[in-house]
Amino acid sequence: MDLLFLSRRIFLGDGSHETPLHGGIVVDTQGIIRRVLRSAQEVNTYLYNIESEAVYDFGDLVLMPGFIDANVHINEPGRKDWEGFVTATKAAAAGGFTTIVDRPANASPPTTSVANLKSKTNTARGKIYVDVGFWGGIVPGNRDQLAPLLAAGVLGLQCTLFGSAPPVGEEFAAVDEAQLEEALQRLEAENEDEGVIAVHAELPLPVDIPTDEEASREYASFLVTRPPSMEVSAMQLLSRLAQRYPRRRLHALNVSSAEALAPAEACQRAGGQLTVGTCPHYLALSAEEVPKCGTEFKTWPPIRESSNQERLWRALRPGGTIQMIASDHSPATPGLRCLTGGRGRGNFLKAWPGINSLQLSLPAVWTALGGGGGTSDDLSLSLADLHRLMCWQPAQLCGLGRFKGRIAEGYDGDFCIWSPEEEFTAIPEELYTATKATPYAGRRLRGVVHATVVRGLHVYQMFEGFGQPLGKVLLRKSSRKVVKFVRM
């Protein structure tokens, strides 16, 4: 028998209702939405005529499509102590995310070949609480693996223009413009048009900025080494390639500098397939509030000054230059983050860059930008904006929009049930991630997730905890004749 989910505030995300409705959602035993009941009267009629296996009534809580994070570092196999599949997907579920997409870089081995992809998927199965897809990696020398990776099921390809910090940099090296164009040419020659190429968009400076070792425990000592020009030059590069290869969609990851938006906007207006993503920490945190030794705030590109934020906020509006928000969740062990005792504690110049934010992304964004938040009314996000930026556009980016990202007949029964009005204090020990340090520690945040449902199954409930790890590996099976997703 079917399952029935009820709420007085259902946001469908299908374009038909900008405001939540009082109704219900019928999900079959396969986890697929079979019917949407769009009024209390329809619900009463359904309950009178049809018996359901179970009825879940969430009252006044918002029930909306589960969120999708297309930018998550799960470091298993190889670096499970940084972040593993169990811990990452539990954090995702507790944060209202029903699908995440794993970056290729931080595991050992990285996802730069079909064999390494199989190692990832074999490790993931049976451990994941939400659905997980994968990016394949572009590194120097693996161009012969790119089309096979797409054929094997990665949702897209990803590279970096600036070398990662050690030890990852030795295994997942940066590419330059010539190498990235070579990859594009190889895919074009093989008539491989599917799959986006996502790029960490910072280019090395012609001359490195000298570092002030004496002031290494001050955030400014690090911030000055990653100026906006690194992002601007990278975005100009991507804009050139997007217009040179119009059939290929490119995506700029982790954009922090508002100055980088101008070349992206010009490319978009000229018809180039270039999309832009930013992260919660660039919208919610500022350089001025980073404390001395607060290396949990360090990331690449850096969190910039508050004067930079309003231009990012404005670019989130419908039709703006930024299409989506994703966490870039990238924790590491306390030692690598320079968070342990000793002379190295708090050294911004040596700490591993990355933010622990997956579980807190929704409340971080909602607190900073949600209705009644810290921004002016013309910059506030509505539920429709939140859905567009953190659900529908990520689904479109990764090719999942045919069965995820909205509440409609035939779509997966993936839901986030939450209270936009409730507040809580972020406590690191209450995070489900493998490591706990986060820049949101002690902050009062608004937006509490009460339950997360994946294909009709409760994978997380606020007071009961977690269900079984029934998430699925998402692999796209593709050819020039057939495009089909295999959910295994």
Side-chain angles (χ1 to χ4, degrees):
M1 287 188 287
D2 295 336
L3 307 174
L4 178 60
F5 296 84
L6 304 176
S7 170
R8 296 184 186 91
R9 290 196 289 177
I10 296 177
F11 182 83
L12 300 176
D14 65 352
S16 64
H17 289 80
E18 285 293 305
T19 56
L21 56 83
H22 183 174
I25 307 160
V26 180
V27 178
D28 69 16
T29 55
Q30 301 302 309
I32 306 301
I33 297 171
R34 289 306 174 204
R35 187 174 174 185
V36 177
L37 308 173
R38 297 172 182 265
S39 68
Q41 183 176 352
E42 280 191 57
V43 170
N44 291 334
T45 301
Y46 179 88
L47 288 170
Y48 182 80
N49 291 298
I50 300 173
E51 182 179 359
S52 292
E53 180 178 339
V55 178
Y56 303 102
D57 190 345
F58 293 105
D60 289 323
L61 296 174
V62 169
L63 190 159
M64 64 184 292
F67 291 97
I68 298 172
D69 193 333
N71 188 354
V72 177
H73 291 273
I74 304 175
N75 308 325
E76 191 178 5
R79 297 187 176 97
K80 181 181 175 183
D81 54 338
W82 295 22
E83 189 69 287
F85 282 105
V86 172
T87 51
T89 57
K90 278 189 170 183
F97 290 88
T98 53
T99 301
I100 59 178
V101 187
D102 173 54
R103 294 273 296 275
N106 291 6
S108 184
T111 316
T112 52
S113 68
V114 173
N116 292 356
L117 172 65
K118 289 180 179 178
S119 177
K120 269 273 188 182
T121 58
N122 290 340
T123 304
R125 288 191 177 94
K127 295 182 177 180
I128 51 180
Y129 288 81
V130 301
D131 289 353
V132 179
F134 299 90
W135 292 98
I138 302 174
V139 294
N142 83 326
R143 63 178 183 173
D144 61 327
Q145 286 291 316
L146 304 183
L149 275 166
L150 289 168
V154 298
L155 304 185
L157 299 170
Q158 187 262 315
C159 65
T160 181
L161 299 174
F162 191 99
S164 300
V168 172
E170 293 111 26
E171 298 172 330
F172 195 88
V175 297
D176 58 25
E177 182 172 5
Q179 290 165 329
L180 180 53
E181 184 157 22
E182 188 179 75
L184 290 166
Q185 291 172 344
R186 180 66 175 259
L187 292 169
E188 193 170 75
E190 297 184 13
N191 293 317
E192 180 54 79
D193 295 329
E194 297 168 12
V196 66
I197 293 181
V199 181
H200 177 104
E202 286 182 288
L203 275 176
L205 294 166
V207 179
D208 287 340
I209 294 173
T211 58
D212 185 355
E213 297 289 344
E214 296 298 318
S216 63
R217 288 171 175 78
E218 301 289 345
Y219 183 67
S221 68
F222 159 67
L223 180 60
V224 71
T225 68
R226 314 287 291 204
S229 60
M230 297 174 66
E231 294 190 67
V232 173
S233 58
M235 194 69 78
Q236 290 169 339
L237 183 160
L238 294 181
S239 298
R240 291 193 298 271
L241 292 178
Q243 294 179 73
R244 204 174 295 160
Y245 298 89
R247 293 193 302 171
R248 175 68 56 183
R249 182 176 179 182
L250 301 179
H251 179 70
L253 295 161
N254 313 338
V255 172
S256 79
S257 172
E259 293 179 27
L261 299 179
E265 182 180 6
C267 178
Q268 292 167 0
R269 287 181 175 176
Q273 290 199 73
L274 175 61
T275 53
V276 176
T278 191
C279 304
H281 40 275
Y282 302 134
L283 303 169
L285 305 174
S286 65
E288 292 88 343
E289 58 192 301
V290 179
K292 185 176 182 178
C293 297
T295 51
E296 63 270 27
F297 286 78
K298 180 182 176 180
T299 188
W300 289 354
I303 295 167
R304 301 194 185 277
E305 298 84 355
S306 57
S307 59
N308 177 76
Q309 281 182 320
E310 185 170 331
R311 288 181 289 169
L312 293 180
W313 295 340
R314 291 190 182 280
L316 296 171
R317 291 187 286 193
T321 310
I322 299 176
Q323 283 72 41
M324 66 197 72
I325 301 170
S327 70
D328 190 28
H329 176 74
S330 184
T333 56
L336 284 169
R337 297 305 309 269
C338 294
L339 291 168
T340 55
R343 295 180 62 186
R345 177 173 174 78
N347 190 321
F348 280 101
L349 300 177
K350 295 182 178 179
W352 171 266
I355 302 288
N356 181 346
S357 61
L358 177 57
Q359 187 172 331
L360 301 174
S361 288
L362 169 59
V365 171
W366 189 246
T367 302
L369 288 159
T375 58
S376 58
D377 288 343
D378 67 321
L379 295 178
S380 293
L381 295 182
S382 65
L383 284 178
D385 293 323
L386 203 64
H387 168 261
R388 169 175 54 83
L389 293 162
M390 297 180 69
C391 186
W392 183 243
Q393 285 294 339
Q396 295 294 100
L397 177 77
C398 297
L400 303 173
R402 292 187 299 106
F403 60 93
K404 289 189 181 292
R406 57 175 49 170
I407 295 174
E409 286 84 355
Y411 276 67
D412 285 357
D414 294 351
F415 313 132
C416 172
I417 297 96
W418 65 297
S419 169
E421 297 83 16
E422 283 185 58
E423 296 185 356
F424 70 102
T425 299
I427 300 173
E429 291 73 25
E430 294 180 357
L431 299 180
Y432 294 100
T433 48
T435 62
K436 310 302 180 183
T438 176
Y440 298 105
R443 289 177 179 265
R444 196 71 182 163
L445 300 176
R446 197 157 46 86
V448 174
V449 175
H450 282 249
T452 301
V453 174
V454 177
R455 288 183 308 281
L457 301 172
H458 286 75
V459 295
Y460 169 77
Q461 296 182 78
M462 184 175 179
F463 300 110
E464 286 78 14
F466 296 92
Q468 296 300 308
L470 298 176
K472 294 184 178 181
V473 167
L474 297 177
L475 293 176
R476 177 167 55 185
K477 183 178 180 182
S478 63
S479 72
R480 286 190 289 274
K481 294 182 179 180
V482 177
V483 178
K484 178 183 177 184
F485 278 89
V486 180
R487 289 171 282 180
M488 304 176 67

